Amino acid sequence: MKDGFRQSMAWLHTWSGLLLGWLLFAVFLTGTIAYFRQEVTVWMQPELHGSVPDAGTAERAVERMGQLAPDASQWTIALPGERTPAVSVSWRPADAKPNDRAALKRATLDAGTGAVLEPRETAGGNFLYRFHFELYGMPRETARWIVGIATMAMLVAIVSGIITHRRIFKDVFTFRPEKSALRSWMDGHVAAAVLALPFHLMITYSGLLLFMTMLMPWAVDLAYDGDRQAYFAESGFRRAASTPRPAPQTAALTPVAPLLAEADRRWADRGGVGSLTVTNPGRANATIELRPAESDSIGRGAATERLLFDGVTGQALEAPPADPQPAAMATGNYLMGLHLARFAGPGMRWLFFVSGVAGTVMVGSGLILWVVKRRSQRGRAENWAAGPEPFGHRLADRLNIGVVAGLPLAVAAYFWANRLLPVGLEERAGWEIGVFFLTWAAALLHAPLRPSRRGWAEQLWIGAALFTLLPVLNLATAAGHLGNSLPAGNWLLAGFDLTALAVGLLLGFAARKVGRNAFARKSAPAPVLPAGAVVEEPT
Amino acid sequence: MTTLPSRLRFGPDGRRCLDVASRSLAGIGGGYALAAVAAMFLALALPMPRAEAVYTATMLSFVIHAGAVVWAFAVRSRWVWPGLLAPTLLLGGGTWLLHGLQQGAPS
């Protein structure tokens, strides 16, 4: 009976993983890149690469805001840091409603001069971030439901996978690359799953929590009689924007340098000041609020410590207390904060990125494993007479090529389009996204037209070439190339180029391996099934 | 499929298909219903402030749903539907009672 149970779980693991696996692969891959979405956006806007922050950046930005938006009811100034070299500012025009985010005006300032920069129009890393939970070109709520359902399938696949591979700690140290294709794919799949298992569980469960009110509204609707706003207000998730009305008397804004100095001293271990919010600038009741660049706790997110000053006298005011969180919300917020890597430092961000890569490899290798296993079962000598490969197996294999090899190709094409499309093109951001989808569609169409291994090798080689040459493209089209970024210690830009190079080399390695096996397969004997597998009847 | 779990195999392919369909429907649909009712029940029953109870209940409901799907594929076929429906009805009744009590009580 024990074996029956494990086999049921293996079956559930296989099918819950396969049916939404292609979508999950895309979600994992784009979501993993999204950990560096700001960095990706900076790379995609070479116009920002010359911006170099210095000690006077914040003051210059405040001064520039006085010229750009003297009548605004609020300015928000995000200072440059490790993740972006330029100053992002936004302001709320005096006649805009307090909660209307669409009414906000935005601009990008050069950190060294305070000049308004005009970066090329691009969705940047934000497109990949949005795609990973809202897909593209469909109603937002529909897309979120689709991704939410896929996430639940992922959770089921993880739980049933853990039950199937109970001896995970033994299995993870078993890698038998030369035994057989089936065994090495299995070992790779298990290793990618187990090495980052806590991450996979966290990212999947917190992914559901991020959509919790949409996916599971019943408790809220019952306890609050359908008044979700009341729930959000009571649970402290949506702070009512309480911007005091501007006072009629005008007054000059206090110099910000002393306030910044005090905050920087206080937050020396948190990257200093990250952002300033000036409310009612130029009025007698102006206030200046400062926030640190990094939070002391991921879970606190937006409720992190703040410093509040009177905007005219520069006197410290009592900052609104960080909201106390009940245990349940603290737990949920912590998990969601981990998912979003909110305020995470570079070490943490890289750890999550690598774990995300492991998740992508886990899903991809699982998809490939499904096909390899069926091929290896058919590949046994006595089964070759069973006729051509079933349609379902061929379909899965071709989808695997178009998604597992084709999606990285499309991402690389997106970066190439960013540099090759004319800067002044109308709807430029839309064209970049268009190139992404056209490339992906081409990969999906190319796969069924080629023999399986050829299809794999060709798409992997093209992806490898496009990624490996991205640093060269950067050299040809922007000043922030490796020749400048490395000597300057600019790890933001160098990190992108070096990561692209590494991804390109990995894809090339995979392409070489697939290509070599394509030749080896013709003369080598059919792969032998592992001892434990039972072949009962050919299908 | 060559390595069929014995509990999922019921002779002819048609019956097996039906069994898988029934388990899937029970796990996905029935499991969601159970999770939703459990969330509503816990939101009213947990001895915490309202927002916290709702939040905790909703967080737990995803675990319940995933558990229900796994359970629907783990047990013998004849236990699947009764095993999911019974707690759903029980919790539904409990929710109805609690809701009635709390609505009736002067607040």
Side-chain angles (χ1 to χ4, degrees):
Chain A
M1 276 298 127
K2 274 261 151 67
D3 272 358
F5 174 62
R6 272 186 66 183
Q7 279 186 329
S8 297
M9 288 300 108
W11 188 93
L12 181 60
H13 178 69
T14 302
W15 292 96
S16 59
L18 181 81
L19 291 177
L20 289 156
W22 295 288
L23 175 59
L24 285 168
F25 182 86
V27 169
F28 257 98
L29 187 114
T30 51
T32 300
I33 303 173
Y35 276 126
F36 288 114
R37 70 184 155 126
Q38 285 190 27
E39 290 82 348
V40 168
T41 306
V42 169
W43 189 90
M44 291 175 82
Q45 295 189 319
E47 295 79 6
L48 308 185
H49 296 183
S51 168
V52 182
D54 59 40
T57 295
E59 273 181 281
R60 261 195 301 275
V62 171
E63 196 178 320
R64 174 64 64 181
M65 288 307 292
Q67 299 158 3
L68 279 176
D71 300 323
S73 61
Q74 193 168 56
W75 303 335
T76 303
I77 302 168
L79 295 175
E82 280 166 329
R83 302 192 63 198
T84 173
V87 186
S88 300
V89 297
S90 65
W91 63 92
R92 188 182 302 284
D95 51 352
K97 293 207 173 64
N99 272 327
D100 186 6
R101 284 180 68 85
L104 289 182
K105 303 254 187 270
R106 294 167 195 283
T108 309
L109 307 181
D110 186 293
T113 65
V116 175
L117 295 170
E118 300 284 348
R120 65 186 61 193
E121 197 200 315
T122 178
N126 225 25
F127 161 65
L128 299 167
Y129 165 71
R130 288 260 157 211
F131 179 82
H132 105 276
F133 64 99
E134 285 177 351
L135 309 177
Y136 189 76
M138 64 170 79
R140 193 172 271 191
E141 180 137 332
T142 313
R144 288 181 172 211
W145 264 103
I146 294 172
V147 175
I149 290 167
T151 312
M152 183 45 92
M154 181 81 206
L155 187 58
V156 169
I158 291 179
V159 172
S160 52
I162 294 173
I163 298 172
T164 310
H165 297 275
R166 275 176 311 182
R167 298 165 299 133
I168 45 181
F169 288 105
K170 196 173 150 208
D171 286 355
V172 76
F173 295 111
T174 319
F175 186 63
R176 300 157 286 195
E178 300 306 327
K179 279 285 184 192
S180 76
L182 179 60
R183 284 219 170 172
S184 45
W185 276 113
M186 176 69 88
D187 292 344
H189 179 63
V190 171
V194 175
L195 286 176
L197 187 58
F199 174 84
H200 302 326
L201 274 170
M202 176 281 287
I203 209 75
T204 308
Y205 185 56
S206 58
L208 290 168
L209 294 187
L210 283 161
F211 292 162
M212 65 196 284
T213 315
M214 183 191 77
L215 295 172
M216 196 62 80
W218 312 107
V220 180
D221 286 352
L222 178 72
Y224 287 83
D225 277 331
D227 186 0
R228 291 189 195 168
Q229 296 311 316
Y231 165 66
F232 291 137
E234 205 172 301
S235 54
F237 291 128
R238 203 159 292 166
R239 197 194 309 276
S242 56
T243 314
R245 302 185 62 79
Q249 309 87 343
T250 56
L253 203 62
T254 181
V256 291
L259 317 185
L260 291 166
E262 185 188 332
D264 277 336
R265 238 189 339 271
R266 187 153 171 171
W267 293 327
D269 56 338
R270 290 188 226 159
V273 177
S275 69
L276 301 83
T277 304
V278 183
T279 306
N280 296 323
R283 299 288 169 167
N285 65 341
T287 56
I288 301 175
E289 186 185 88
L290 307 181
R291 295 184 184 214
E294 290 167 25
S295 168
D296 53 339
S297 152
I298 281 177
R300 302 206 66 87
T304 191
E305 187 186 346
R306 287 160 286 180
L307 287 176
L308 190 66
F309 297 93
D310 185 301
V312 177
T313 63
Q315 288 283 312
L317 301 174
E318 198 171 330
D323 295 334
Q325 290 182 339
M329 277 74 158
T331 311
N333 276 349
Y334 186 75
L335 286 169
M336 289 187 265
L338 285 176
H339 190 115
L340 303 168
R342 240 183 233 152
F343 297 103
M348 189 80 162
R349 204 165 280 283
W350 274 105
L351 178 67
F352 279 19
F353 179 80
V354 170
S355 302
V357 170
T360 312
V361 168
M362 168 181 75
V363 178
S365 62
L367 288 168
I368 293 167
L369 190 54
W370 189 88
V371 173
V372 169
K373 184 160 185 179
R374 274 144 196 85
R375 284 223 173 115
S376 116
Q377 283 163 354
R378 285 171 37 79
R380 304 225 308 174
E382 66 265 35
N383 288 341
W384 269 120
E389 189 172 21
F391 174 74
H393 300 188
R394 270 182 300 153
L395 177 70
D397 181 49
R398 296 323 199 267
L399 276 171
N400 283 351
I401 299 175
V403 174
V404 176
L407 182 57
L409 185 56
V411 170
Y414 178 61
F415 295 144
W416 278 79
N418 171 259
R419 294 304 177 81
L420 296 184
L421 290 174
V423 171
L425 187 67
E426 282 283 304
E427 295 285 322
R428 196 176 182 288
W431 276 105
E432 286 179 11
I433 295 171
V435 168
F436 170 85
F437 282 113
L438 283 174
T439 311
W440 197 4
L444 285 163
L445 287 176
H446 165 266
L449 299 177
R450 304 293 288 158
S452 173
R453 274 168 189 281
R454 288 275 176 76
W456 274 112
E458 285 165 4
Q459 293 200 16
L460 286 170
W461 274 125
I462 299 173
L466 288 183
F467 269 109
T468 313
L469 292 175
L470 271 177
V472 180
L473 176 71
N474 194 16
L475 174 74
T477 55
H481 53 80
L482 282 175
N484 288 336
S485 60
L486 277 181
N490 183 343
W491 290 108
L492 199 167
L493 290 171
F496 185 102
D497 279 348
L498 292 175
T499 308
L501 198 61
V503 170
L505 292 177
L506 278 173
L507 290 176
F509 174 76
R512 219 175 73 101
K513 199 120 177 100
V514 174
R516 203 181 57 195
N517 279 359
F519 296 111
R521 178 55 60 91
K522 284 183 188 126
S523 52
V528 179
L529 274 184
V534 192
V535 178
E536 282 159 0
E537 68 255 9
T539 23
Chain B
M1 282 300 300
T2 43
T3 50
L4 297 177
S6 52
R7 288 182 189 197
L8 289 177
R9 197 174 40 199
F10 286 86
D13 271 2
R15 279 192 65 186
R16 193 187 114 74
C17 248
L18 212 63
D19 182 50
V20 168
S22 159
R23 287 173 192 268
S24 304
L25 190 67
I28 298 167
Y32 184 82
L34 173 61
V37 173
M40 290 195 278
F41 177 78
L42 289 171
L44 300 182
L46 286 174
M48 305 172 175
R50 183 166 64 159
E52 219 181 321
V54 165
Y55 194 86
T56 310
T58 308
M59 276 215 295
L60 287 175
S61 68
F62 295 111
V63 180
I64 295 173
H65 191 195
V69 176
V70 168
W71 189 82
F73 281 88
V75 295
R76 285 174 177 283
S77 202
R78 63 171 179 275
W79 288 111
V80 173
W81 280 101
L84 284 170
L85 283 178
T88 307
L89 291 175
L90 215 65
L91 288 168
T95 307
W96 184 73
L97 272 177
L98 278 176
H99 193 57
L101 282 175
Q102 290 178 5
Q103 293 281 307
S107 50

